[in-house]
Amino acid sequence: MVKNTYMRWRLPFVCLLWEVAMIILFGVFVRFDPEADAHWKEEQRQKNLTSDIENDFYFRYPSFQDVHVMIFVGFGFLMTFLQRYGFGAVGFNFLLAAFGIQWALLMQGWFHSFENGKILIGVENLINADFCVGSVCIAFGAILGKTSPVQLLILTLFQVTLFAVNEYILVSLLHVKDAGGSMTIHTFGAYFGLTVTRILYRPNLEQSKDKQGSVYHSDLFAMIGALYLWMYWPSFNSAVSNHGDAQHRAAINTYCSLASCVLTTVAFSSLLQKKGKLDMVHIQNATLAGGVAVGTSAEMMLTPYGSLIVGFLCGIVSTVGFVYLMPFLESKLHIQDTCGIHNLHAMPGLIGGIVGAVTAATATEEVYGKEGLISAFDFTGDYKDRTPSVQGGFQAAGIFVSLAMALAGGAIVGAILKIPFLGDPADENCFEDDVYWEVPEDEESSLYHMHDPTLKPVTS
Amino acid sequence: MVKNTYMRWRLPFVCLLWEVAMIILFGVFVRFDPEADAHWKEEQRQKNLTSDIENDFYFRYPSFQDVHVMIFVGFGFLMTFLQRYGFGAVGFNFLLAAFGIQWALLMQGWFHSFENGKILIGVENLINADFCVGSVCIAFGAILGKTSPVQLLILTLFQVTLFAVNEYILVSLLHVKDAGGSMTIHTFGAYFGLTVTRILYRPNLEQSKDKQGSVYHSDLFAMIGALYLWMYWPSFNSAVSNHGDAQHRAAINTYCSLASCVLTTVAFSSLLQKKGKLDMVHIQNATLAGGVAVGTSAEMMLTPYGSLIVGFLCGIVSTVGFVYLMPFLESKLHIQDTCGIHNLHAMPGLIGGIVGAVTAATATEEVYGKEGLISAFDFTGDYKDRTPSVQGGFQAAGIFVSLAMALAGGAIVGAILKIPFLGDPADENCFEDDVYWEVPEDEESSLYHMHDPTLKPVTS
Amino acid sequence: MVKNTYMRWRLPFVCLLWEVAMIILFGVFVRFDPEADAHWKEEQRQKNLTSDIENDFYFRYPSFQDVHVMIFVGFGFLMTFLQRYGFGAVGFNFLLAAFGIQWALLMQGWFHSFENGKILIGVENLINADFCVGSVCIAFGAILGKTSPVQLLILTLFQVTLFAVNEYILVSLLHVKDAGGSMTIHTFGAYFGLTVTRILYRPNLEQSKDKQGSVYHSDLFAMIGALYLWMYWPSFNSAVSNHGDAQHRAAINTYCSLASCVLTTVAFSSLLQKKGKLDMVHIQNATLAGGVAVGTSAEMMLTPYGSLIVGFLCGIVSTVGFVYLMPFLESKLHIQDTCGIHNLHAMPGLIGGIVGAVTAATATEEVYGKEGLISAFDFTGDYKDRTPSVQGGFQAAGIFVSLAMALAGGAIVGAILKIPFLGDPADENCFEDDVYWEVPEDEESSLYHMHDPTLKPVTS
């Protein structure tokens, strides 16, 4: 079947429409948070802050920049492993994230930072917008190489919206803690993406099977993405935690979990391959599962050894998922998951939700201190009588809500993306940059052409 | 024409001469700022600082490191897009920047941090030195592939000098605000570089036309540079702003402008190409124009939606510049601009100067607060009676001063670079690393050789 | 000789054994530092801290993240210069560092953070663990391409142990200052690695000579590693210095030394090559020697011009080492040093130790201030009567202790690594990823295969 992938009018139309809408909505709604406003000096006196260094900017900006790198370089380059889809991986990730952060500032702003008809944004909002877009980058991983940029912009619009609703239910209605987003980002993003790719199932995708692998250098580019995700994950999980000990603790727990995860990933990558050789796909992905799985609990008193145990298990689960579960999902359930997000985000995200629920449920005044317990779980105001075990129950409920939102939302958005005229590629053109990008003719390709055996050889 | 590109005596001579001069001048002039000096404890008491965290180091060091990455990896890798000039792009950028920051510490120190015969340096000086060198990296973009390392070191010496003079006129004499350097860095650097490349015009450059394109992997390397510039630009524009709300605000404005810019770049990249396909050159460059264009105004109350509008326009201007203006500049005005700095830095820089002038001129006490207005524009001492509208006029004057300095300085320096014996490459060797670098024989190349159709084939 | 490099049982066994041991030991010993513990609020009141920002996290976390990038991306990618060992370089570095940081937290913890039977860890411990692993990454550079992952994990276990002992002798017994680790990290790590590679000498290594070179793109990947090391080295040398002026000063000194080092490296790279062309190996490595050589003295009053002089000399020493000393070491002393760590870490490390001793010995109250001198060298408690010149003597002793520990330790560990069954590659398979990794068949390789001259050609 010939598909029309001509983007010249459709893509500019959507980009410009989306962006004009952003400008109008920002004009009506978005203003600076008091800490970023020129009236700050007066504000500061009211709050009795003795120094400019107590501006939230200095507590969070370094973490923000790390998260920013994870979204744009981390996710972008992690997906460059495909031999001829590097432009699409980095470039479309760039496009959807740049749009998504704007829409996320609005959606999350209406729910969480809306005061007197205005959304007031500061550095914490920027981090949360990046987080929200992270869930879209995850979903993109499942459909990588099989959709047009127009489809991706539509997906982003809807997924960000649903993310904000889900986050509002969890954080504001259920009073759930999820600073590193095991539930809101990973579980939601991954099951959403898996549902979308299920709806967009392509029975004849084996026509582009030869392009689904990597080449030597594309695997090295992907390692750039993988390592930046791995290195900055402590910043990701601690970025929006409470000032002081909570941020400090979240970084340490995540550091430990990730370190442990690398060893079990390597062990099982070798163990599950007949020749005992390591597989770059596992090293690039399963080593990150430890970061996903402490997303909820990192800011709690999970303890360093607790983190090591979580990382230990997730390296195994994720690697086993790549080897055994992924082929099963494709052949039996018709879920074509390009990057294996089921192994890196879905299962570890669920584990992260469960670990968070258990860690919360077992919190005691002895371990946290009286003040510490109240502060860690924000047992104040309406929630001042909530106990740790009740909190654990609500945490568990958060997992199911995220899962339900992801499945229902993914089904609807998947159906929307099946609308014709959105410019998706034909089965034989999947995983191929040439469809949407001006691709330079390479030395190698020109060489290839020169020696094309079907051409009349010079010497005959 | 055969050119002598033998560097063995000339390059070491210049490097060693330059560096010995640095050591002597640093020995005579440069000392630590009080906040970096071992006497700090006593200083601290005098300033009534209650904690070590109030050392300027903690306000600015994270931003400094981000700026540092932009200069060395950002600019360096952005220029690796050429198929066989990656060593020169990254390596010469490294060389000129490493020299330039030393000379900038001196030049800017004499103008701004000179006390009792000594230049006192701290973290803010390091940032400003990196900024100054940024303007040289920009100019390098115009002449990329067409000059020898000796020419680049001479260029750096003169451009840093002129940068410091221009910056002194703007910041100290005109009392102009330009924290992110739309005028001092981008306008000055770009028009300086464009003038130099005009003077060095090569009528027969089409002899190396085949090497002016990219290959698949070189475009991915360039995306590393592009993304790091894009991600860290909020740090660039906020790095030397006032502590507290000004830094906070500058980061938010830049974040917004850059996000918006990506969407219009993608829209116009597709729209202006017959087949509607995206062009990597635009994605790598025009997406950054939004950061350039809020360089002056980011620390002011530009507001998030104002930033979105600036980014929106600059994505369009920059992409249109790549498609229509660049060929015109080359064919009609004989300006051979390798990286397209006219589109990324020159035009957006001018826009940035204008946006800054307008934002300053329209500032009110209502928006900034009484204290906030004084603090934002430093209306103290000699300038305590200056009004926003007068400030706007001076801001506008700053644009013209920068432009004039760039054109005059570029003409002089371009003429100096025409001196024979500086080792520039012949027209047919431009954009080719092999001239100045030991280049490894690649698998591909050796393969190429093996199958060279001009060789006697094994089978005949 | 045929070697058995089958990893399927051996590698998983070691990984799982090591990691289970970590979990048990962490469970018994490791807890959060008070600043990362939920009891922090109460702690804070006791310490009279007025704000959360005075948590050590905010003093050190940005530097920690920079150091983290240096270990995993910096060292990892620096070693990708080999044409077919990129997976091993980045991947094995990842593996050994992920294990090493856990074991280092324990070893260093027992020596330095052991209270009431527990090791209390905070952000400073994370930095020190990364530092310790840095010395293993250095040693890995000497044996790169010639060992199995099992050997590397054994090496890491022993080297981390010895590192911690050596560090304890220097820092706690001799009261030596070495914040950037010229002695503890570089001298120790490099001579340890050189001794190991001497013990593992392979007389027939020329069988894999063709794979010891780089290709064009592998050199660009290596530049990513080199630049990140270069850019973040100011964070490395300042990360664990005293709060305030010491951190500030350490960053400035390192910045200056590194800048200077680039110019002399370029000068001598060109000067020592007949055709005067620059060699990427020098640019990637010798430019970093300036950072190594101010490791001990950066936090002292070395002064900016002092730093320039150190960098100046080290660029020369390191480049000369690559050109003249390295072939000598291989042919005469049978030291096969894959990455040239003798030039980048060993010699500059020794210089760094000496510079540190001299800088300490010549410290005066005039330069440091009375309080500053006590604070800079921690002349309190048992050491309150120590004078700068005595301190200089102890600093010098530290060099010899590090060297002795490295040589003795390297000899023992080298002997251990000669145990059969550890799976090292045959001489003809060194520097080849294919031994331990699933390597994708590349376009190029498949092309190569298609045109293999030994195959029957289509046209005959």
Side-chain angles (χ1 to χ4, degrees):
Chain A
M1 196 185 93
V2 177
K3 294 249 189 179
N4 179 358
T5 58
Y6 190 65
M7 285 287 115
R8 193 170 179 189
W9 306 113
R10 286 176 281 189
L11 180 57
F13 174 75
V14 176
C15 285
L16 296 176
L17 182 69
W18 268 207
E19 192 56 48
V20 168
M22 289 303 109
I23 291 176
I24 294 170
L25 291 168
F26 268 61
V28 176
F29 290 109
V30 180
R31 297 296 179 270
F32 291 119
D33 181 278
E35 306 205 28
D37 192 283
H39 288 88
W40 163 246
K41 288 271 171 235
E42 295 154 29
E43 184 85 11
Q44 217 176 348
R45 260 197 305 275
Q46 285 171 21
K47 289 195 183 174
N48 268 323
L49 300 180
T50 55
S51 163
D52 281 325
I53 197 87
E54 293 174 75
N55 192 303
D56 196 38
F57 182 76
Y58 302 102
F59 285 92
R60 306 213 184 272
Y61 190 71
S63 308
F64 158 66
Q65 274 295 4
D66 294 350
V67 171
H68 215 40
V69 170
M70 292 173 74
I71 299 298
F72 290 89
V73 160
F75 282 111
F77 272 89
L78 182 62
M79 295 188 285
T80 59
F81 73 100
L82 292 171
Q83 56 188 268
R84 294 299 284 188
Y85 207 70
F87 292 7
V90 170
F92 292 154
N93 185 70
F94 191 17
L95 171 63
L96 70 84
F99 165 64
I101 53 179
Q102 299 176 59
W103 181 227
L105 282 175
L106 287 165
M107 281 302 306
Q108 296 178 316
W110 282 316
F111 280 124
H112 302 291
S113 316
F114 202 56
E115 284 178 40
N116 302 320
K118 298 293 173 199
I119 296 166
L120 304 181
I121 65 171
V123 65
E124 194 171 341
N125 301 69
L126 305 189
I127 298 171
N128 280 317
D130 272 27
F131 276 0
C132 174
V133 160
S135 86
V136 185
C137 300
I138 291 167
F140 179 35
I143 53 176
L144 185 74
K146 299 176 294 187
T147 45
S148 76
V150 169
Q151 287 180 303
L152 292 172
L153 285 169
I154 293 171
L155 173 92
T156 307
L157 180 73
F158 285 105
Q159 193 179 347
V160 166
T161 308
L162 291 167
F163 177 99
V165 172
N166 183 51
E167 186 187 42
Y168 175 73
I169 297 173
L170 265 68
V171 174
S172 299
L173 302 187
L174 303 179
H175 194 70
V176 155
K177 303 295 284 182
D178 193 22
S182 292
M183 294 177 279
T184 53
I185 302 169
H186 299 288
T187 302
F188 173 77
Y191 285 101
F192 185 95
L194 291 167
T195 312
V196 169
T197 199
R198 174 64 192 82
I199 306 277
L200 300 180
Y201 178 60
R202 289 168 178 263
N204 301 313
L205 193 60
E206 81 280 2
Q207 291 182 7
S208 52
K209 207 76 191 175
D210 57 312
K211 280 172 275 178
Q212 270 199 70
S214 61
V215 291
Y216 195 71
H217 281 161
S218 72
D219 264 328
L220 281 176
F221 279 114
M223 274 307 284
I224 298 174
L227 283 174
Y228 272 99
L229 287 170
W230 193 89
M231 296 182 302
Y232 285 164
W233 216 293
S235 299
F236 192 92
N237 284 349
S238 66
V240 297
S241 290
N242 288 339
H243 292 172
D245 59 292
Q247 276 197 290
H248 202 151
R249 189 162 60 239
I252 295 171
N253 280 329
T254 310
Y255 178 93
C256 289
S257 177
L258 287 162
S260 169
C261 192
V262 174
L263 273 94
T264 48
T265 297
V266 168
F268 275 75
S269 182
S270 174
L271 200 62
L272 301 180
Q273 210 259 7
K274 272 186 195 159
K275 288 186 270 176
K277 294 187 182 183
L278 297 170
D279 190 326
M280 268 311 224
V281 171
H282 307 156
I283 308 301
Q284 286 156 9
N285 290 278
T287 53
L288 305 171
V292 174
V294 295
T296 302
S297 54
E299 63 173 7
M300 304 176 189
M301 290 293 282
L302 178 61
T303 74
Y305 69 89
S307 306
L308 290 190
I309 293 171
V310 174
F312 189 94
L313 295 176
C314 283
I316 297 172
V317 167
S318 189
T319 310
V320 169
F322 271 104
V323 177
Y324 294 115
L325 217 53
M326 219 169 133
F328 172 82
L329 290 180
E330 175 150 5
S331 62
K332 302 296 173 196
L333 301 186
H334 292 176
I335 296 173
Q336 294 161 324
D337 176 6
T338 311
C339 294
I341 63 165
H342 186 258
N343 315 301
L344 168 48
H345 298 283
M347 291 189 296
L350 287 179
I351 294 172
I354 296 165
V355 171
V358 173
T359 312
T362 56
T364 61
E365 270 193 20
E366 197 195 332
V367 172
Y368 287 75
K370 197 175 162 67
E371 275 181 84
L373 190 66
I374 292 168
S375 156
F377 295 98
D378 206 6
F379 288 156
T380 54
D382 292 350
Y383 304 98
K384 75 175 158 45
D385 296 327
R386 195 182 268 191
T387 63
S389 61
V390 172
Q391 178 69 23
F394 278 97
Q395 293 283 140
I399 305 171
F400 290 100
V401 173
S402 299
L403 207 50
M405 287 288 292
L407 297 175
I412 295 165
V413 174
I416 294 171
L417 296 186
K418 293 198 88 164
I419 293 172
F421 316 122
L422 299 183
D424 57 313
D427 291 340
E428 66 270 26
N429 292 330
C430 284
F431 316 115
E432 174 60 59
D433 272 335
D434 194 42
V435 183
Y436 304 113
W437 295 85
E438 283 284 288
V439 175
E441 227 182 283
D442 278 24
E443 289 170 274
E444 296 106 83
S445 338
S446 60
L447 172 62
Y448 187 88
H449 189 251
M450 188 183 302
H451 291 285
D452 189 333
T454 63
L455 285 175
K456 260 222 169 101
V458 189
T459 60
S460 66
Chain B
M1 196 184 93
V2 176
K3 295 248 188 179
N4 180 356
T5 57
Y6 190 65
M7 285 287 115
R8 192 169 180 190
W9 306 113
R10 288 176 279 189
L11 180 57
F13 175 75
V14 176
C15 284
L16 295 176
L17 182 70
W18 268 207
E19 192 56 49
V20 169
M22 289 304 109
I23 291 175
I24 296 170
L25 291 168
F26 268 61
V28 176
F29 290 110
V30 179
R31 298 295 179 271
F32 291 120
D33 182 278
E35 305 205 30
D37 193 281
H39 288 89
W40 162 247
K41 288 272 171 231
E42 296 153 28
E43 183 85 12
Q44 215 176 349
R45 262 197 304 275
Q46 284 172 22
K47 288 195 183 174
N48 268 323
L49 299 180
T50 56
S51 164
D52 280 326
I53 197 87
E54 293 174 75
N55 193 305
D56 197 36
F57 183 76
Y58 302 103
F59 286 92
R60 305 211 184 274
Y61 190 72
S63 308
F64 158 66
Q65 274 296 5
D66 294 349
V67 171
H68 215 40
V69 171
M70 291 174 75
I71 300 299
F72 290 88
V73 160
F75 282 112
F77 272 89
L78 182 62
M79 295 189 284
T80 59
F81 73 99
L82 291 171
Q83 56 188 269
R84 293 299 283 188
Y85 207 70
F87 292 7
V90 169
F92 292 155
N93 185 69
F94 191 16
L95 172 63
L96 69 83
F99 165 65
I101 53 179
Q102 299 176 60
W103 181 227
L105 282 175
L106 287 165
M107 281 302 305
Q108 296 178 316
W110 283 316
F111 281 124
H112 302 292
S113 316
F114 202 56
E115 285 179 39
N116 303 319
K118 298 293 174 201
I119 295 166
L120 304 181
I121 64 170
V123 64
E124 193 171 343
N125 300 69
L126 305 189
I127 298 170
N128 279 317
D130 272 27
F131 277 180
C132 174
V133 160
S135 87
V136 185
C137 299
I138 292 166
F140 180 33
I143 54 176
L144 184 75
K146 299 175 295 187
T147 46
S148 76
V150 170
Q151 286 180 303
L152 292 173
L153 284 169
I154 294 171
L155 173 92
T156 306
L157 181 73
F158 285 105
Q159 193 179 346
V160 166
T161 311
L162 291 166
F163 177 98
V165 172
N166 183 53
E167 186 187 42
Y168 176 72
I169 297 173
L170 265 68
V171 173
S172 298
L173 302 187
L174 302 180
H175 195 69
V176 154
K177 303 296 283 183
D178 193 22
S182 293
M183 294 177 279
T184 54
I185 302 169
H186 299 287
T187 301
F188 172 78
Y191 284 101
F192 185 94
L194 292 167
T195 312
V196 169
T197 200
R198 174 64 192 81
I199 306 278
L200 299 180
Y201 177 60
R202 289 169 179 262
N204 301 313
L205 194 59
E206 80 281 1
Q207 291 182 9
S208 51
K209 207 75 191 176
D210 57 312
K211 279 172 276 179
Q212 271 198 70
S214 60
V215 289
Y216 194 71
H217 281 161
S218 73
D219 265 328
L220 281 177
F221 279 114
M223 274 308 284
I224 297 174
L227 283 174
Y228 271 99
L229 288 170
W230 192 89
M231 295 181 302
Y232 285 165
W233 216 294
S235 299
F236 192 93
N237 284 348
S238 65
V240 296
S241 291
N242 287 340
H243 292 172
D245 59 294
Q247 276 197 288
H248 202 152
R249 189 161 61 240
I252 296 171
N253 280 330
T254 310
Y255 178 93
C256 290
S257 177
L258 286 163
S260 167
C261 192
V262 173
L263 274 94
T264 50
T265 298
V266 168
F268 275 75
S269 182
S270 173
L271 200 61
L272 300 180
Q273 211 259 9
K274 271 186 196 159
K275 288 187 270 177
K277 293 186 183 184
L278 298 171
D279 190 327
M280 268 308 224
V281 171
H282 307 156
I283 307 301
Q284 285 156 11
N285 290 278
T287 52
L288 305 170
V292 174
V294 296
T296 303
S297 53
E299 63 173 7
M300 304 176 189
M301 291 291 283
L302 179 60
T303 73
Y305 69 89
S307 306
L308 290 189
I309 294 170
V310 174
F312 188 94
L313 295 176
C314 282
I316 297 172
V317 167
S318 189
T319 309
V320 169
F322 271 103
V323 178
Y324 295 115
L325 217 53
M326 221 169 134
F328 172 83
L329 290 180
E330 175 150 7
S331 62
K332 302 298 173 195
L333 301 185
H334 292 175
I335 295 172
Q336 294 161 323
D337 176 7
T338 310
C339 294
I341 63 165
H342 186 259
N343 314 302
L344 168 48
H345 298 282
M347 291 189 295
L350 287 179
I351 294 173
I354 295 165
V355 170
V358 172
T359 312
T362 56
T364 61
E365 270 193 20
E366 197 196 330
V367 171
Y368 287 76
K370 197 175 162 65
E371 275 181 83
L373 189 67
I374 291 168
S375 155
F377 296 98
D378 206 7
F379 288 156
T380 54
D382 291 351
Y383 305 98
K384 74 174 159 44
D385 297 326
R386 195 183 268 190
T387 61
S389 61
V390 173
Q391 179 68 23
F394 277 97
Q395 294 282 142
I399 306 171
F400 290 100
V401 172
S402 299
L403 206 51
M405 287 288 292
L407 296 175
I412 295 165
V413 174
I416 293 170
L417 296 186
K418 292 198 88 164
I419 293 172
F421 315 121
L422 299 183
D424 58 312
D427 291 340
E428 65 271 26
N429 293 329
C430 284
F431 316 115
E432 173 60 60
D433 271 334
D434 194 44
V435 183
Y436 304 113
W437 296 85
E438 283 284 289
V439 175
E441 227 182 283
D442 277 24
E443 287 171 276
E444 295 106 82
S445 338
S446 60
L447 173 64
Y448 187 88
H449 189 251
M450 188 183 303
H451 292 284
D452 190 332
T454 63
L455 285 174
K456 261 219 168 105
V458 188
T459 60
S460 66
Chain C
M1 196 185 92
V2 176
K3 294 249 188 179
N4 179 356
T5 57
Y6 190 64
M7 285 287 116
R8 193 170 180 188
W9 307 112
R10 287 176 281 190
L11 180 57
F13 175 75
V14 177
C15 284
L16 295 176
L17 183 69
W18 269 206
E19 192 56 47
V20 168
M22 289 304 108
I23 291 176
I24 295 169
L25 290 168
F26 268 61
V28 176
F29 290 109
V30 180
R31 297 295 179 271
F32 291 118
D33 181 277
E35 305 205 29
D37 192 283
H39 288 89
W40 162 247
K41 288 272 171 233
E42 295 153 29
E43 183 85 11
Q44 216 176 349
R45 261 196 305 274
Q46 284 171 23
K47 289 196 181 173
N48 267 323
L49 300 180
T50 56
S51 164
D52 281 325
I53 197 87
E54 292 174 76
N55 192 305
D56 198 36
F57 183 76
Y58 303 103
F59 286 91
R60 305 213 183 272
Y61 190 72
S63 308
F64 157 66
Q65 274 295 5
D66 294 350
V67 171
H68 215 41
V69 171
M70 292 174 74
I71 299 299
F72 290 87
V73 160
F75 282 112
F77 272 89
L78 182 62
M79 296 188 283
T80 58
F81 73 101
L82 291 171
Q83 55 188 269
R84 294 299 283 188
Y85 207 70
F87 292 7
V90 169
F92 292 155
N93 185 71
F94 191 17
L95 172 63
L96 69 82
F99 165 64
I101 52 179
Q102 299 176 58
W103 181 227
L105 282 175
L106 286 165
M107 281 302 305
Q108 296 179 317
W110 283 316
F111 281 124
H112 302 292
S113 315
F114 202 56
E115 283 179 40
N116 302 320
K118 299 293 172 200
I119 295 166
L120 304 182
I121 64 171
V123 64
E124 194 171 342
N125 300 68
L126 305 190
I127 298 171
N128 279 316
D130 272 28
F131 277 180
C132 174
V133 160
S135 88
V136 184
C137 300
I138 291 166
F140 179 34
I143 53 176
L144 184 74
K146 299 175 295 187
T147 45
S148 76
V150 169
Q151 287 180 304
L152 292 173
L153 284 169
I154 294 170
L155 174 93
T156 306
L157 180 73
F158 285 105
Q159 193 179 346
V160 166
T161 309
L162 291 166
F163 177 99
V165 172
N166 184 52
E167 185 186 42
Y168 176 72
I169 298 173
L170 265 68
V171 173
S172 298
L173 303 186
L174 302 179
H175 195 69
V176 154
K177 303 296 283 183
D178 193 21
S182 292
M183 294 177 280
T184 53
I185 302 168
H186 299 287
T187 302
F188 172 77
Y191 284 102
F192 185 94
L194 292 167
T195 311
V196 169
T197 199
R198 174 64 191 81
I199 307 278
L200 300 180
Y201 177 59
R202 290 168 179 262
N204 301 313
L205 194 58
E206 78 283 0
Q207 291 181 8
S208 53
K209 207 75 191 176
D210 56 312
K211 279 172 276 181
Q212 271 199 69
S214 61
V215 290
Y216 195 72
H217 281 160
S218 71
D219 265 328
L220 281 177
F221 280 114
M223 274 307 284
I224 296 174
L227 283 174
Y228 272 98
L229 288 170
W230 193 90
M231 295 181 303
Y232 285 164
W233 216 295
S235 299
F236 192 93
N237 284 348
S238 66
V240 297
S241 290
N242 287 339
H243 292 171
D245 59 293
Q247 277 197 288
H248 201 152
R249 189 161 61 240
I252 296 170
N253 280 329
T254 310
Y255 177 94
C256 289
S257 177
L258 286 163
S260 169
C261 192
V262 174
L263 273 94
T264 50
T265 298
V266 168
F268 275 74
S269 181
S270 173
L271 200 61
L272 300 180
Q273 211 260 8
K274 272 185 194 158
K275 287 185 271 177
K277 295 186 183 183
L278 298 170
D279 191 326
M280 267 311 224
V281 171
H282 308 156
I283 308 300
Q284 285 156 9
N285 290 278
T287 52
L288 304 171
V292 174
V294 296
T296 303
S297 55
E299 62 173 9
M300 303 176 189
M301 290 292 283
L302 178 61
T303 74
Y305 70 90
S307 306
L308 290 190
I309 293 170
V310 174
F312 188 94
L313 295 176
C314 283
I316 297 172
V317 166
S318 188
T319 309
V320 169
F322 271 103
V323 177
Y324 295 115
L325 218 53
M326 217 169 136
F328 172 83
L329 290 180
E330 175 150 6
S331 61
K332 302 297 173 195
L333 301 185
H334 292 175
I335 295 172
Q336 294 161 324
D337 177 7
T338 311
C339 295
I341 64 164
H342 186 258
N343 314 301
L344 169 47
H345 298 283
M347 291 190 295
L350 287 179
I351 294 173
I354 296 165
V355 171
V358 173
T359 311
T362 56
T364 61
E365 270 194 20
E366 197 196 330
V367 172
Y368 287 76
K370 198 176 162 67
E371 275 181 83
L373 190 65
I374 292 168
S375 155
F377 295 98
D378 205 6
F379 288 157
T380 54
D382 289 352
Y383 304 98
K384 76 174 159 41
D385 296 327
R386 194 182 269 191
T387 62
S389 60
V390 172
Q391 178 69 22
F394 278 98
Q395 295 282 141
I399 306 172
F400 290 100
V401 173
S402 299
L403 207 50
M405 288 287 292
L407 296 175
I412 295 165
V413 174
I416 293 171
L417 296 187
K418 293 197 88 164
I419 293 172
F421 315 121
L422 300 183
D424 57 312
D427 291 340
E428 66 270 26
N429 292 330
C430 285
F431 317 114
E432 173 60 58
D433 272 334
D434 195 43
V435 183
Y436 304 113
W437 296 86
E438 283 284 289
V439 176
E441 228 182 282
D442 278 23
E443 287 171 275
E444 295 106 83
S445 339
S446 60
L447 172 64
Y448 186 87
H449 190 250
M450 189 182 302
H451 292 284
D452 190 334
T454 63
L455 285 174
K456 262 227 168 98
V458 188
T459 60
S460 66

